[in-house]
Amino acid sequence: MIEAFQNIFKIPELKKKVLFSLAMLAVYRVGCHIPTPGIDAQALSQFFKAAQGTLLGMFDMFSGGALEKLTVFALGIMPYISSSIIFQLLTVVLPAVEKLSKEGDAGRKKIIQYTRYGTIVLAVVQAFGISIGLEAMRGPAGELVVPNPGWSFRLMTVITLTAGTAFIMWLGEQMSEKGIGNGISLIIFAGIVARIPNAIGNSFRLVKTGELSLFVLILIAAVMFAVIAAVVFMERGQRRIPIHYAKRVVGLKTVGAQSSHLPLKVNMAGVIPPIFASSIIMFPATVGNFIDVPWVQAASKQLAPGKLLYEILFVAFIVFFCYFYTAVTFNPVDVADNIKKQGGYVPGIRPGKETSDFLDAVLTKLTFAGAIYISAVCVLPSILIGKFNLPFYFGGTSLLIAVGVGMDTLAQIEAHLITRSYEGFMKGVRIQGRR
């Protein structure tokens, strides 16, 4: 692996891409420490310590801690992600958007343009909501988080946070175009891994004070390694449906019989189900922070992470969104028709409706396995924190994103190395991107 990293800098093009991505990530991390004016940072920090397990805590994780300090990048890339998901779902609901998605590169560029507009709109709405919420926040001693509230503060906050999100979106697109890997994903990845040094430091501090035994720490490290290995295995897991193509005439040439396969991933929905499920369940807990009503406070406490009701609903929503999102993004009927039009067939299955029914049955079983896998990973943090007193958050959506982005980026670097006849990271093992 050391030799592979050395080979990266022997290829000028790859070296330039990697260094560009690292430079853009450095710019992003610097922006995460530039505070928005008009905020009492200490009072805000104390408020966020009490808001763990709410939507604010989840958004703060995606922003790499920028929301807790209310920096210029406080909104992070979440408005862009939300806008992308909305337009992806609209391709199924609205015929006009569906038509655009089928127009090739021109249609894709148009959808990306609309996604940017949607990002700005969502950022303005979220920034205004944050400014209103900040004015109502108070620290533990009753001090105001915003010493001088009013429309001047609200307008300044909306402009600052919206500009920060637009700049992050631009950074991500530049990284995707001129760097290595997916820029937006790498920005989220950077925000997640930025907390690792602090988590390691807290763990060793607890060992020194005797609050955490060395044996338990070693056991937790072994569990973490096993979980990461399991996530990598499941993310790469797929069911390959064999497809045979009969001899056919293409233009003036006769193409002989061929065999291929249709790969169906175990986790077709990715990280969308846990994000949606977390957002829905954490909403009451977030509202409870702003409404001082006894029954609202009681309901929000029951829906806090670690509570039985929360875990049950969380798993149920994950399973639901796994099936829902997979149904939206993968249409067995269309896939079966395309296979039939190309002269292909699944061995032992008649083309057309029987093929679509077969694909639907296989996909249903795979989605169930993927839903159970995602649920297990997302429930893991509550078990580690509640049973083993783990001093940091491990697992859940952040782990799925970090591992997925790491694998995709590694695959792209691997492809560059193999293309230039260099040995990649994985000797004797085929990974995505290797031929």
Side-chain angles (χ1 to χ4, degrees), residues 6 16 18 41 45 57 75 102 128 152 158-159 161 168 180 182 193 196 206 229 241 246 260 265-266 352 394 429 435:
Q6 292 175 345
K16 184 178 179 180
V18 171
S45 178
L75 288 180
K102 295 180 179 179
F128 183 74
S152 60
V158 169
I159 294 175
L161 298 187
I168 294 176
I180 195 77
N182 184 287
V193 300
I196 292 179
L206 290 176
I241 307 297
S260 181
K265 291 186 64 177
V266 175
F394 175 78
V429 179
R435 293 290 181 267

mmCIF file of all heavy atoms in Angstrom, residues 6 16 18 41 45 57 75 102 128 152 158-159 161 168 180 182 193 196 206 229 241 246 260 265-266 352 394 429 435:
data_model
loop_
_atom_site.group_PDB
_atom_site.id
_atom_site.type_symbol
_atom_site.label_atom_id
_atom_site.label_comp_id
_atom_site.label_asym_id
_atom_site.label_seq_id
_atom_site.Cartn_x
_atom_site.Cartn_y
_atom_site.Cartn_z
ATOM 1 N N GLN A 6 3.109 5.901 -3.138
ATOM 2 C CA GLN A 6 4.259 6.502 -3.809
ATOM 3 C C GLN A 6 4.031 6.597 -5.312
ATOM 4 O O GLN A 6 4.431 7.574 -5.946
ATOM 5 C CB GLN A 6 5.515 5.680 -3.511
ATOM 6 C CG GLN A 6 5.976 5.744 -2.063
ATOM 7 C CD GLN A 6 7.148 4.822 -1.789
ATOM 8 O OE1 GLN A 6 7.455 3.931 -2.585
ATOM 9 N NE2 GLN A 6 7.808 5.014 -0.645
ATOM 10 N N LYS A 16 -1.704 15.776 -9.724
ATOM 11 C CA LYS A 16 -2.375 17.072 -9.783
ATOM 12 C C LYS A 16 -3.799 16.980 -9.257
ATOM 13 O O LYS A 16 -4.265 17.861 -8.505
ATOM 14 C CB LYS A 16 -2.369 17.571 -11.233
ATOM 15 C CG LYS A 16 -2.953 18.966 -11.410
ATOM 16 C CD LYS A 16 -2.871 19.398 -12.874
ATOM 17 C CE LYS A 16 -3.483 20.783 -13.065
ATOM 18 N NZ LYS A 16 -3.401 21.205 -14.492
ATOM 19 N N VAL A 18 -5.082 14.719 -7.093
ATOM 20 C CA VAL A 18 -5.088 14.463 -5.651
ATOM 21 C C VAL A 18 -4.752 15.730 -4.864
ATOM 22 O O VAL A 18 -5.425 16.071 -3.881
ATOM 23 C CB VAL A 18 -4.097 13.328 -5.309
ATOM 24 C CG1 VAL A 18 -3.933 13.199 -3.799
ATOM 25 C CG2 VAL A 18 -4.567 12.008 -5.898
ATOM 26 N N ALA A 41 -20.629 32.634 21.150
ATOM 27 C CA ALA A 41 -20.170 31.280 20.815
ATOM 28 C C ALA A 41 -20.243 30.341 22.014
ATOM 29 O O ALA A 41 -20.605 29.169 21.866
ATOM 30 C CB ALA A 41 -18.738 31.338 20.280
ATOM 31 N N SER A 45 -22.466 26.908 22.182
ATOM 32 C CA SER A 45 -21.824 25.611 22.393
ATOM 33 C C SER A 45 -22.505 24.832 23.511
ATOM 34 O O SER A 45 -22.733 23.624 23.402
ATOM 35 C CB SER A 45 -20.345 25.807 22.706
ATOM 36 O OG SER A 45 -19.717 24.568 22.955
ATOM 37 N N GLY A 57 -28.172 18.017 16.037
ATOM 38 C CA GLY A 57 -26.980 17.188 16.193
ATOM 39 C C GLY A 57 -26.608 16.484 14.904
ATOM 40 O O GLY A 57 -25.431 16.361 14.560
ATOM 41 N N LEU A 75 -24.473 25.633 7.415
ATOM 42 C CA LEU A 75 -25.481 24.807 6.746
ATOM 43 C C LEU A 75 -24.856 23.603 6.051
ATOM 44 O O LEU A 75 -25.543 22.633 5.744
ATOM 45 C CB LEU A 75 -26.252 25.636 5.718
ATOM 46 C CG LEU A 75 -27.238 26.675 6.263
ATOM 47 C CD1 LEU A 75 -27.906 27.403 5.118
ATOM 48 C CD2 LEU A 75 -28.270 26.026 7.160
ATOM 49 N N LYS A 102 -34.205 11.903 -19.453
ATOM 50 C CA LYS A 102 -33.980 10.973 -20.552
ATOM 51 C C LYS A 102 -33.398 11.655 -21.787
ATOM 52 O O LYS A 102 -33.272 11.030 -22.835
ATOM 53 C CB LYS A 102 -35.296 10.275 -20.921
ATOM 54 C CG LYS A 102 -35.843 9.377 -19.814
ATOM 55 C CD LYS A 102 -37.141 8.712 -20.233
ATOM 56 C CE LYS A 102 -37.663 7.791 -19.128
ATOM 57 N NZ LYS A 102 -38.941 7.141 -19.508
ATOM 58 N N PHE A 128 -32.866 31.362 7.366
ATOM 59 C CA PHE A 128 -33.829 32.237 8.054
ATOM 60 C C PHE A 128 -34.400 31.533 9.288
ATOM 61 O O PHE A 128 -34.546 32.148 10.351
ATOM 62 C CB PHE A 128 -34.955 32.630 7.100
ATOM 63 C CG PHE A 128 -35.952 33.579 7.699
ATOM 64 C CD1 PHE A 128 -35.629 34.915 7.892
ATOM 65 C CD2 PHE A 128 -37.206 33.130 8.093
ATOM 66 C CE1 PHE A 128 -36.545 35.789 8.459
ATOM 67 C CE2 PHE A 128 -38.128 33.998 8.653
ATOM 68 C CZ PHE A 128 -37.802 35.336 8.836
ATOM 69 N N SER A 152 -31.732 43.005 11.306
ATOM 70 C CA SER A 152 -30.365 43.157 10.800
ATOM 71 C C SER A 152 -29.569 41.875 11.000
ATOM 72 O O SER A 152 -28.833 41.432 10.107
ATOM 73 C CB SER A 152 -29.666 44.322 11.498
ATOM 74 O OG SER A 152 -29.610 44.105 12.905
ATOM 75 N N VAL A 158 -28.794 35.145 7.052
ATOM 76 C CA VAL A 158 -29.278 34.503 5.819
ATOM 77 C C VAL A 158 -28.264 34.669 4.692
ATOM 78 O O VAL A 158 -27.931 33.703 3.992
ATOM 79 C CB VAL A 158 -30.648 35.096 5.400
ATOM 80 C CG1 VAL A 158 -31.019 34.639 3.995
ATOM 81 C CG2 VAL A 158 -31.730 34.677 6.388
ATOM 82 N N ILE A 159 -27.748 35.885 4.515
ATOM 83 C CA ILE A 159 -26.778 36.136 3.441
ATOM 84 C C ILE A 159 -25.495 35.336 3.681
ATOM 85 O O ILE A 159 -24.956 34.706 2.760
ATOM 86 C CB ILE A 159 -26.463 37.642 3.346
ATOM 87 C CG1 ILE A 159 -27.702 38.406 2.894
ATOM 88 C CG2 ILE A 159 -25.306 37.885 2.374
ATOM 89 C CD1 ILE A 159 -27.527 39.914 2.890
ATOM 90 N N LEU A 161 -24.891 32.533 5.592
ATOM 91 C CA LEU A 161 -25.021 31.077 5.521
ATOM 92 C C LEU A 161 -25.342 30.609 4.103
ATOM 93 O O LEU A 161 -24.844 29.565 3.659
ATOM 94 C CB LEU A 161 -26.097 30.594 6.496
ATOM 95 C CG LEU A 161 -25.834 30.872 7.978
ATOM 96 C CD1 LEU A 161 -26.888 30.191 8.842
ATOM 97 C CD2 LEU A 161 -24.447 30.405 8.386
ATOM 98 N N ILE A 168 -19.563 26.169 -0.867
ATOM 99 C CA ILE A 168 -19.274 24.743 -0.680
ATOM 100 C C ILE A 168 -19.725 23.959 -1.915
ATOM 101 O O ILE A 168 -19.024 23.044 -2.377
ATOM 102 C CB ILE A 168 -19.974 24.201 0.577
ATOM 103 C CG1 ILE A 168 -19.398 24.835 1.831
ATOM 104 C CG2 ILE A 168 -19.826 22.685 0.665
ATOM 105 C CD1 ILE A 168 -20.109 24.420 3.108
ATOM 106 N N ILE A 180 -9.995 14.355 -7.744
ATOM 107 C CA ILE A 180 -10.256 12.914 -7.739
ATOM 108 C C ILE A 180 -11.449 12.635 -6.834
ATOM 109 O O ILE A 180 -11.606 13.250 -5.780
ATOM 110 C CB ILE A 180 -9.017 12.122 -7.249
ATOM 111 C CG1 ILE A 180 -9.150 10.638 -7.576
ATOM 112 C CG2 ILE A 180 -8.751 12.354 -5.772
ATOM 113 C CD1 ILE A 180 -8.873 10.315 -9.000
ATOM 114 N N ASN A 182 -15.742 12.079 -5.943
ATOM 115 C CA ASN A 182 -16.922 12.941 -5.986
ATOM 116 C C ASN A 182 -16.766 14.063 -4.965
ATOM 117 O O ASN A 182 -16.630 13.815 -3.775
ATOM 118 C CB ASN A 182 -18.181 12.116 -5.693
ATOM 119 C CG ASN A 182 -19.448 12.933 -5.809
ATOM 120 O OD1 ASN A 182 -19.744 13.766 -4.959
ATOM 121 N ND2 ASN A 182 -20.209 12.694 -6.851
ATOM 122 N N VAL A 193 -14.764 12.754 9.258
ATOM 123 C CA VAL A 193 -13.480 12.281 9.768
ATOM 124 C C VAL A 193 -12.758 13.359 10.578
ATOM 125 O O VAL A 193 -11.799 13.055 11.305
ATOM 126 C CB VAL A 193 -12.570 11.780 8.640
ATOM 127 C CG1 VAL A 193 -13.212 10.640 7.901
ATOM 128 C CG2 VAL A 193 -12.211 12.907 7.680
ATOM 129 N N ILE A 196 -12.504 12.545 14.246
ATOM 130 C CA ILE A 196 -11.799 11.352 14.716
ATOM 131 C C ILE A 196 -10.691 11.674 15.715
ATOM 132 O O ILE A 196 -10.596 11.032 16.768
ATOM 133 C CB ILE A 196 -11.264 10.549 13.513
ATOM 134 C CG1 ILE A 196 -12.427 9.954 12.711
ATOM 135 C CG2 ILE A 196 -10.320 9.444 13.977
ATOM 136 C CD1 ILE A 196 -12.003 9.172 11.488
ATOM 137 N N LEU A 206 -10.124 9.092 28.983
ATOM 138 C CA LEU A 206 -10.955 8.295 29.882
ATOM 139 C C LEU A 206 -10.181 7.096 30.426
ATOM 140 O O LEU A 206 -10.402 6.678 31.572
ATOM 141 C CB LEU A 206 -12.212 7.813 29.148
ATOM 142 C CG LEU A 206 -13.242 8.890 28.798
ATOM 143 C CD1 LEU A 206 -14.384 8.293 27.991
ATOM 144 C CD2 LEU A 206 -13.784 9.549 30.058
ATOM 145 N N ALA A 229 -15.128 -3.759 8.386
ATOM 146 C CA ALA A 229 -14.933 -4.836 7.416
ATOM 147 C C ALA A 229 -16.282 -5.348 6.903
ATOM 148 O O ALA A 229 -16.445 -5.619 5.700
ATOM 149 C CB ALA A 229 -14.135 -5.971 8.045
ATOM 150 N N ILE A 241 -27.232 -11.192 -12.032
ATOM 151 C CA ILE A 241 -28.217 -11.919 -12.827
ATOM 152 C C ILE A 241 -27.618 -12.192 -14.201
ATOM 153 O O ILE A 241 -27.283 -11.246 -14.937
ATOM 154 C CB ILE A 241 -29.514 -11.110 -12.979
ATOM 155 C CG1 ILE A 241 -30.044 -10.662 -11.612
ATOM 156 C CG2 ILE A 241 -30.557 -11.918 -13.734
ATOM 157 C CD1 ILE A 241 -30.436 -11.788 -10.704
ATOM 158 N N ALA A 246 -28.540 -13.509 -27.862
ATOM 159 C CA ALA A 246 -28.481 -14.391 -29.027
ATOM 160 C C ALA A 246 -27.722 -13.712 -30.168
ATOM 161 O O ALA A 246 -27.464 -12.503 -30.135
ATOM 162 C CB ALA A 246 -29.892 -14.756 -29.480
ATOM 163 N N SER A 260 -23.488 -11.848 -20.443
ATOM 164 C CA SER A 260 -23.164 -10.735 -19.549
ATOM 165 C C SER A 260 -23.938 -10.958 -18.242
ATOM 166 O O SER A 260 -24.474 -12.050 -18.000
ATOM 167 C CB SER A 260 -23.542 -9.407 -20.201
ATOM 168 O OG SER A 260 -23.211 -8.333 -19.362
ATOM 169 N N LYS A 265 -27.112 -4.536 -6.448
ATOM 170 C CA LYS A 265 -26.438 -4.361 -5.161
ATOM 171 C C LYS A 265 -27.333 -4.770 -4.006
ATOM 172 O O LYS A 265 -28.571 -4.642 -4.076
ATOM 173 C CB LYS A 265 -25.999 -2.915 -4.991
ATOM 174 C CG LYS A 265 -24.872 -2.471 -5.919
ATOM 175 C CD LYS A 265 -24.417 -1.068 -5.579
ATOM 176 C CE LYS A 265 -23.810 -1.017 -4.180
ATOM 177 N NZ LYS A 265 -23.299 0.332 -3.858
ATOM 178 N N VAL A 266 -26.707 -5.241 -2.942
ATOM 179 C CA VAL A 266 -27.465 -5.577 -1.733
ATOM 180 C C VAL A 266 -28.066 -4.303 -1.141
ATOM 181 O O VAL A 266 -29.223 -4.279 -0.725
ATOM 182 C CB VAL A 266 -26.555 -6.279 -0.705
ATOM 183 C CG1 VAL A 266 -27.308 -6.512 0.599
ATOM 184 C CG2 VAL A 266 -26.054 -7.597 -1.262
ATOM 185 N N GLY A 352 -39.763 -10.422 -21.088
ATOM 186 C CA GLY A 352 -40.981 -9.660 -20.856
ATOM 187 C C GLY A 352 -41.431 -9.686 -19.417
ATOM 188 O O GLY A 352 -40.645 -9.462 -18.490
ATOM 189 N N PHE A 394 -19.968 6.163 16.946
ATOM 190 C CA PHE A 394 -19.425 5.287 15.908
ATOM 191 C C PHE A 394 -20.537 4.456 15.310
ATOM 192 O O PHE A 394 -21.282 3.779 16.025
ATOM 193 C CB PHE A 394 -18.347 4.356 16.484
ATOM 194 C CG PHE A 394 -17.841 3.344 15.485
ATOM 195 C CD1 PHE A 394 -16.929 3.716 14.523
ATOM 196 C CD2 PHE A 394 -18.304 2.030 15.488
ATOM 197 C CE1 PHE A 394 -16.462 2.795 13.582
ATOM 198 C CE2 PHE A 394 -17.852 1.104 14.561
ATOM 199 C CZ PHE A 394 -16.924 1.493 13.605
ATOM 200 N N VAL A 429 -6.433 -8.832 -5.830
ATOM 201 C CA VAL A 429 -7.837 -8.740 -5.462
ATOM 202 C C VAL A 429 -8.506 -7.773 -6.415
ATOM 203 O O VAL A 429 -7.972 -6.700 -6.706
ATOM 204 C CB VAL A 429 -8.010 -8.240 -4.003
ATOM 205 C CG1 VAL A 429 -9.489 -8.125 -3.666
ATOM 206 C CG2 VAL A 429 -7.298 -9.195 -3.050
ATOM 207 N N ARG A 435 -9.582 -3.720 -13.771
ATOM 208 C CA ARG A 435 -9.908 -4.641 -14.884
ATOM 209 C C ARG A 435 -8.912 -5.776 -14.895
ATOM 210 O O ARG A 435 -7.719 -5.553 -14.652
ATOM 211 C CB ARG A 435 -9.840 -3.882 -16.209
ATOM 212 C CG ARG A 435 -10.952 -2.811 -16.315
ATOM 213 C CD ARG A 435 -12.327 -3.455 -16.470
ATOM 214 N NE ARG A 435 -13.367 -2.464 -16.599
ATOM 215 C CZ ARG A 435 -14.056 -1.988 -15.593
ATOM 216 N NH1 ARG A 435 -13.821 -2.393 -14.376
ATOM 217 N NH2 ARG A 435 -15.002 -1.097 -15.808
#
